[in-house]
Amino acid sequence: MQDRRGFIKSIGLAAGTTWLASGTFSIPASTAANRKLLRFGLITDLHHLQFNKDEVARMKGFMDVVLKESPDFIIQNGDFCRHTKSDALMTEWNRFEGPKYHVLGNHDMDFCDKATIMQFWGMQKPYYSFDHGGFHFVVMDRNFLKKEDGTLVDYNTSNWGPLPSPQRSFTDQPQLDWLKTDLADSKYPVIVFMHQPVFLSDFYEELGNANDILKIFDEANLNAARKKTGNKVAAVFMGHDHDDRHGERNGVHYFIINSASYVYTDSGAHYYNDPLYAFITLDPAGKLTIEGRSTTYRDEKTPDTVRARFSTKISDHSLGF
């Protein structure tokens, strides 16, 4: 891995923009035979063309650093772009020739159905898992609406918008059944990606069936502890809230990763000067390290109420061992 000081100097960060000191977290050790440090780049809630904002330059800022860092893979955690007028953005994304992964977010289906945006991205399944470097990664799809009769339907062309919060952000039963089996079959520590949070969110009414997912995580980790296997859920990365949070629940680290672009409040969208993103390093010996980026608000007139509540960073955290 490139020397950190040399890396920061080489990317030439703009004035007022910094990398935060990395935070280190204890996670289950991997038992993989060929264990090594694994590093991936994470960006979420870019919102290309939201409010008619072209975010190609923001994407380029992320990808320039990706190409310098050469991570093992990159992943976007939802609310990325729409299926039209996004070719330039995807050209930036595809500059990285390594593995690239997608997570479905609610705004990705503002103008189409899941199948259409998935085809545009080259995403084969709405939820899936993969192994890499002695870790098991799970990507979830929480974009289902609960109808009045209790049935679940896919998010589709912004059909989530008119419905009240308690009917949003559900995960369907086939996916929950798959998740149980997938976690049980894993040989390695598990890292989960999802767009809508299941924990830490202030939007308490828009958690859908989060408790069903948390229960699955709890039971999977209890079974792993009893069997003394290494396939515990170690960390969950979430987006959607445009916030910067970390919390621990039953031994699992949950992170809400800040938007790459802006925070939205009652006073509207307040944009960041520079793109926010993070690089995460997983040490098979049992450590998770996050290097997040920090910036400032673009508009000097951003209200103090917004500045006080929403930070313009993906934060440093530090836990003891």
Side-chain angles (χ1 to χ4, degrees):
M1 188 184 306
Q2 186 176 354
D3 174 76
R4 181 175 175 81
R5 290 185 178 178
F7 165 63
I8 292 175
K9 183 178 180 181
S10 69
I11 63 176
L13 292 175
T17 307
T18 61
W19 279 91
L20 299 176
S22 58
T24 301
F25 302 83
S26 177
I27 60 173
S30 174
T31 59
N34 299 317
R35 304 191 314 171
K36 65 172 186 175
L37 291 178
L38 183 148
R39 186 169 172 80
F40 64 90
L42 171 63
I43 190 168
T44 190
D45 294 270
L46 182 70
H47 288 271
H48 178 54
L49 299 181
Q50 194 81 22
F51 310 116
N52 295 315
K53 297 290 186 180
D54 186 335
E55 298 297 357
V56 173
R58 211 175 281 269
M59 189 66 197
K60 183 179 185 302
F62 173 56
M63 295 309 301
D64 284 348
V65 180
V66 165
L67 294 183
K68 287 183 172 68
E69 275 287 87
S70 297
D72 293 282
F73 67 85
I74 59 174
I75 185 166
Q76 65 85 8
N77 215 39
D79 283 1
F80 191 48
C81 68
R82 59 186 62 173
H83 70 293
T84 59
K85 301 180 180 179
S86 296
D87 291 341
L89 186 83
M90 294 305 297
T91 296
E92 282 295 330
W93 173 258
N94 288 321
R95 286 168 60 201
F96 179 63
E97 296 181 355
K100 299 177 283 291
Y101 300 99
H102 294 279
V103 179
L104 289 170
N106 54 299
H107 281 289
D108 298 316
M109 282 78 70
D110 275 349
F111 294 91
C112 65
D113 58 13
K114 288 181 183 178
T116 300
I117 192 64
M118 287 170 57
Q119 182 179 22
F120 182 67
W121 290 344
M123 184 181 183
Q124 295 183 350
K125 297 179 179 179
Y127 57 89
Y128 56 96
S129 63
F130 59 95
D131 290 342
H132 199 128
F135 292 90
H136 185 68
F137 298 91
V138 172
V139 171
M140 296 190 64
D141 172 17
R142 300 202 57 231
N143 298 286
F144 290 84
L145 296 171
K146 188 173 185 179
K147 298 171 65 178
E148 296 293 343
D149 62 3
T151 59
L152 299 184
V153 295
D154 282 315
Y155 281 24
N156 186 345
T157 56
S158 207
N159 60 350
W160 59 274
L163 295 183
S165 295
Q167 291 180 244
R168 301 174 180 171
S169 302
F170 281 81
T171 301
D172 62 329
Q173 190 59 49
Q175 184 177 173
L176 295 177
D177 294 339
W178 167 84
L179 180 63
K180 291 179 185 179
T181 301
D182 186 82
L183 295 179
D185 290 345
S186 173
K187 299 178 182 179
Y188 307 122
V190 179
I191 308 295
V192 180
F193 302 98
M194 62 179 69
H195 183 65
Q196 295 95 326
V198 290
F199 184 52
L200 300 178
S201 177
D202 283 347
F203 300 98
Y204 310 113
E205 293 186 345
E206 198 174 327
L207 294 177
N209 53 346
N211 284 337
D212 293 338
I213 298 170
L214 294 174
K215 181 180 178 182
I216 291 172
F217 292 164
D218 291 343
E219 292 177 350
N221 283 7
L222 177 62
N223 290 334
R226 284 176 172 171
K227 296 177 181 179
K228 298 182 179 180
T229 55
N231 59 331
K232 289 185 176 180
V233 178
V236 180
F237 290 94
M238 308 169 291
H240 190 60
D241 283 12
H242 297 216
D243 211 338
D244 174 55
R245 293 190 175 188
H246 162 259
E248 186 177 352
R249 180 187 177 279
N250 291 346
V252 180
H253 295 290
Y254 292 82
F255 301 93
I256 296 180
I257 302 297
N258 207 340
S259 165
S261 302
Y262 70 91
V263 64
Y264 191 84
T265 71
D266 291 341
S267 57
H270 303 279
Y271 277 83
Y272 307 145
N273 263 320
D274 306 284
L276 295 184
Y277 45 83
F279 286 85
I280 293 91
T281 301
L282 302 176
D283 185 335
K287 295 180 182 179
L288 183 154
T289 303
I290 297 179
E291 295 168 84
R293 198 178 184 191
S294 173
T295 185
T296 56
Y297 282 107
R298 178 180 293 173
D299 189 347
E300 294 182 0
K301 296 181 180 179
T302 298
D304 284 346
T305 53
V306 175
R307 295 176 185 272
R309 168 61 183 84
F310 295 98
S311 62
T312 55
K313 63 183 179 180
I314 296 174
S315 193
D316 166 43
H317 304 279
S318 183
L319 297 179
F321 287 81

